[in-house]
Amino acid sequence: MYRKDLITAEIEKLAQVLAKIMGLKIELKLEEADALFKETLAKSFGLDSKLLTEPNTSEFEKWLSQSELNAEHLNSLSDFIFSQLDFENNIIPSQLMAQKLNFVYKKLVDDFQTVHLINMGRQKYIEQYI
């Protein structure tokens, strides 16, 4: 019970950070939003943001397989990655991140048997671009 409360509290904090990032984007404080995104990836997920925009997916796949993130954290990670997709203004980086996002969705299904309707809709959306 105590562990579940800790996970819930951490997921709530991540949701607040994501909301802050989105708010910064709305205010057109894009550099600040990007810095907070990268910092959160490193601190909360142990992920170097550079892996998301690398053309080669093997390093990301390796990181994902070695990460000990639970389903809730992976779902939060998927929210963070999806929030960065911008197929209108940043086509190539968004395509590369979308590929990595599909790996996260696959891990959620394969390792945790977790399927969210939101994630299914997002997968259909990004399929148009990759």
Side-chain angles (χ1 to χ4, degrees):
M1 180 73 173
Y2 182 71
R3 177 166 163 65
K4 187 173 182 173
D5 290 341
L6 286 175
I7 291 171
T8 301
E10 187 169 340
I11 298 304
E12 288 174 1
K13 286 181 194 174
L14 288 170
Q16 290 171 353
V17 171
L18 184 57
K20 184 174 182 176
I21 291 170
M22 299 307 290
L24 290 168
K25 285 183 174 186
I26 290 170
E27 295 172 8
L28 298 177
K29 297 179 179 177
L30 303 178
E31 289 180 16
E32 195 175 333
D34 191 48
L36 182 56
F37 173 75
K38 290 176 180 177
E39 177 185 336
T40 304
L41 283 183
K43 288 184 178 178
S44 297
F45 301 106
L47 174 61
D48 182 348
S49 63
K50 293 176 186 172
L51 290 180
L52 293 177
T53 54
E54 284 290 319
N56 187 345
T57 62
S58 63
E59 286 299 313
F60 180 82
E61 289 179 89
K62 181 180 175 183
W63 170 84
L64 189 59
S65 69
Q66 293 174 349
S67 74
E68 295 183 9
L69 299 176
N70 59 34
E72 292 85 0
H73 281 96
L74 284 173
N75 198 54
S76 289
L77 176 61
S78 74
D79 291 341
F80 272 82
I81 296 172
F82 188 80
S83 75
Q84 297 298 303
L85 300 181
D86 182 1
F87 291 109
E88 292 179 21
N89 298 313
N90 293 315
I91 296 169
I92 301 300
S94 293
Q95 288 175 331
L96 295 171
M97 284 190 277
Q99 290 174 341
K100 289 18 174 249
L101 182 55
N102 275 336
F103 288 117
V104 175
Y105 292 144
K106 184 174 180 349
K107 184 171 179 76
L108 279 166
V109 171
D110 293 349
D111 293 1
F112 299 100
Q113 291 74 45
T114 302
V115 178
H116 294 280
L117 292 176
I118 292 171
N119 292 350
M120 289 175 61
R122 288 176 177 174
Q123 282 178 294
K124 289 184 187 290
Y125 169 73
I126 63 177
E127 281 176 10
Q128 301 171 52
Y129 298 100
I130 59 173

